[in-house]
Amino acid sequence: MPGRVPVLAAWTTLIYMPEVTIRLLIICTSRIGDVFLGSSVIESLRKRDPKLLIDFLVFKGTEAVIERNPHVNQIIQIDRKISFLTHLKMLFRVRRKYDVAVSLLSGDRPTLYSLIAGKLSFGIVGEELKYFWKRWLLSGYITPSKSPIHTIIQNHKILEQYLETELCPPKFYWDKKDEDSIDKIIDADDSYRGYAVFHLTPKYTYKEWPLSSWMRLANNLRERGLKVILVGLPEVIHAVSKPYTSDNWPTDTLDLLGKISLSEVGYLISRATIYVGTDTAVTHMAAAIGTPAVALFGPSSPIIWGPWPKNYRSNRNPWSLKGTQVVGNVGLVQNSFRGCVPCMEEGCERHLRSRSDCLSYLSTEEVLSLIDGQLRL
């Protein structure tokens, strides 16, 4: 592995040249939740060196979680499936354009981007012999942890070993236009004591909580004086139980499914009394914003994907593998009656459209009990 001292020397030389603007590329060509968690390195890097000019390379369709971030100079978007010619043009576009390029993923493609784009390049490299070329070509790398590790901690290990950064939680940003848009909706009705935001639509079926359970929870919270607001994408609802159009919601439930942008959702959550969602990017946003949040976890491992609480700055993982738990502004609930939780598979049938029994049978009472504890209702 390239020595740390020469790499740090090169980095330090760049930092202490005040007339030089340091250009840095972060590569996270993955799902939208990974991009948001990856944005935590932006906060760490800006704290380390305010002179940095940071670009982010992501898959098209995942940029919304960072598009309002004032510390991002440019978002480069590429298609998941890309033609050879288009790919080649993109590579020429970023070739040696950056002083430093960091891949937050271990795949060949993001590693290649890092190597081509940066004069110094960093990434994650497996210990297998077939990855010798990455170890040889990268300026620095970490090897994957032999035990499960939180995504945010792993991202920062790439930086801190070579760039001496401090772990900072991710942040979600919106602008005044988003605030004005949501204020018009919320301030139109002040007859209730607060509101709960439900994010109903994870991208994949195996992360869903049944709509019948959401409805029961909504009615319970309405009895406690909280209005319910629904966010998400209506076309993603897979009707695990009753159809969305059921009359079993509280009569004054506010349906904003598909009607507001992700940045508006962020501001809406910031004004909420409580947020409830499954393992999605929006749940990570809610945790980072600081609103009291309840995350419903099924097959996914909290150790790797648990929502990072707003003010949690330790290098130690905030979450245990099993059990209902509360850290800071986030409560995480799992089904307490199934020994297979979490299985870390894509549902009981092992595919994205599979049902997950651990979520199907997660009771409203368990979720409500955690909410009551969060809000002391």
Side-chain angles (χ1 to χ4, degrees):
M1 181 169 63
R4 182 185 180 198
V5 174
V7 172
L8 277 175
W11 176 254
T12 303
T13 300
L14 286 171
I15 287 177
Y16 291 105
M17 295 173 65
E19 73 282 2
V20 174
T21 299
I22 304 167
R23 299 186 64 89
L24 186 142
L25 179 67
I26 303 295
I27 300 152
C28 191
T29 45
S30 189
R31 297 175 181 175
I32 189 169
D34 298 280
V35 173
F36 182 67
L37 293 179
S39 71
S40 63
V41 304
I42 299 175
E43 307 303 323
S44 298
L45 287 165
R46 293 297 294 186
K47 187 171 183 178
R48 172 69 170 83
D49 178 19
K51 302 192 301 295
L52 285 174
L53 197 63
I54 303 172
D55 290 356
F56 227 95
L57 175 61
V58 300
F59 280 141
K60 191 174 294 183
T62 65
E63 71 283 352
V65 286
I66 56 171
E67 65 183 356
R68 295 284 198 275
N69 193 312
H71 305 312
V72 176
N73 172 61
Q74 180 185 15
I75 302 173
I76 304 171
Q77 303 172 42
I78 60 172
D79 292 317
R80 292 177 184 271
K81 295 182 179 180
I82 189 171
S83 69
F84 176 77
L85 183 59
T86 304
H87 212 169
L88 198 60
K89 287 180 179 178
M90 190 278 292
L91 293 175
F92 272 108
R93 176 184 169 191
V94 301
R95 181 176 178 269
R96 288 295 181 269
K97 180 179 177 181
Y98 297 92
D99 299 299
V100 181
V102 178
S103 170
L104 300 181
L105 307 167
S106 60
D108 292 350
R109 187 167 156 181
T111 301
L112 185 64
Y113 296 158
S114 178
L115 287 167
I116 291 174
K119 297 168 187 174
L120 295 174
S121 54
F122 302 91
I124 308 172
V125 183
E127 296 178 338
E128 295 87 344
L129 181 61
K130 63 182 178 179
Y131 299 129
F132 76 93
W133 61 275
K134 297 182 185 180
R135 291 189 287 270
W136 181 45
L137 294 174
L138 285 169
S139 305
Y141 61 87
I142 64 168
T143 56
S145 173
K146 289 182 169 58
S147 57
I149 184 173
H150 198 282
T151 304
I152 285 179
I153 296 175
Q154 176 171 269
N155 290 342
H156 282 83
K157 282 184 177 296
I158 303 172
L159 299 182
E160 69 185 2
Q161 188 173 353
Y162 298 97
L163 308 182
E164 296 182 342
T165 55
E166 175 187 337
L167 187 149
C168 293
K171 291 183 180 179
F172 187 79
Y173 296 88
W174 54 83
D175 59 23
K176 184 63 166 57
K177 182 180 177 182
D178 301 317
E179 294 179 1
D180 292 342
S181 174
I182 295 302
D183 286 344
K184 286 180 182 178
I185 298 172
I186 301 304
D187 294 338
D189 182 4
D190 59 359
S191 61
Y192 50 93
R193 61 183 252 194
Y195 65 87
V197 173
F198 289 1
H199 184 253
L200 299 182
T201 60
K203 184 175 182 180
Y204 302 115
T205 309
Y206 78 93
K207 294 184 177 183
E208 285 184 343
W209 197 38
L211 288 176
S212 57
S213 298
W214 282 113
M215 293 171 195
R216 285 194 295 272
L217 182 63
N219 281 285
N220 274 286
L221 291 183
R222 194 65 192 92
E223 290 174 1
R224 287 160 166 76
L226 297 179
K227 184 169 181 173
V228 174
I229 302 178
L230 310 180
V231 297
L233 299 174
E235 64 270 20
V236 182
I237 293 181
H238 302 113
V240 174
S241 53
K242 297 180 181 179
Y244 166 67
T245 54
S246 170
D247 294 328
N248 291 340
W249 295 94
T251 55
D252 61 353
T253 298
L254 179 57
D255 177 5
L256 295 181
L257 287 160
K259 298 175 183 176
I260 58 177
S261 68
L262 193 63
S263 52
E264 289 172 327
V265 168
Y267 177 63
L268 176 72
I269 291 171
S270 77
R271 289 196 54 182
T273 305
I274 188 76
Y275 165 89
V276 187
T278 58
D279 175 23
T280 67
V282 178
T283 299
H284 291 297
M285 286 165 42
I289 288 167
T291 297
V294 170
L296 316 181
F297 262 58
S300 305
S301 169
I303 290 178
I304 301 173
W305 300 113
W308 197 272
K310 179 180 180 180
N311 295 318
Y312 190 87
R313 291 179 176 270
S314 170
N315 286 320
R316 298 183 61 184
N317 199 317
W319 303 110
S320 301
L321 182 64
K322 291 178 177 287
T324 294
Q325 46 201 304
V326 177
V327 180
N329 64 298
V330 183
L332 189 149
V333 59
Q334 293 175 319
N335 190 315
S336 59
F337 298 105
R338 302 188 70 85
C340 58
V341 180
C343 66
M344 290 165 279
E345 301 284 353
E346 292 173 341
C348 297
E349 299 167 14
R350 309 296 190 257
H351 60 81
L352 297 176
R353 298 301 174 193
S354 166
R355 183 182 66 179
S356 295
D357 285 346
C358 55
L359 284 169
S360 297
Y361 298 111
L362 176 64
S363 72
T364 304
E365 289 71 28
E366 284 187 84
V367 178
L368 191 62
S369 174
L370 187 55
I371 292 174
D372 286 346
Q374 285 284 81
L375 300 180
R376 293 178 171 81
L377 292 175

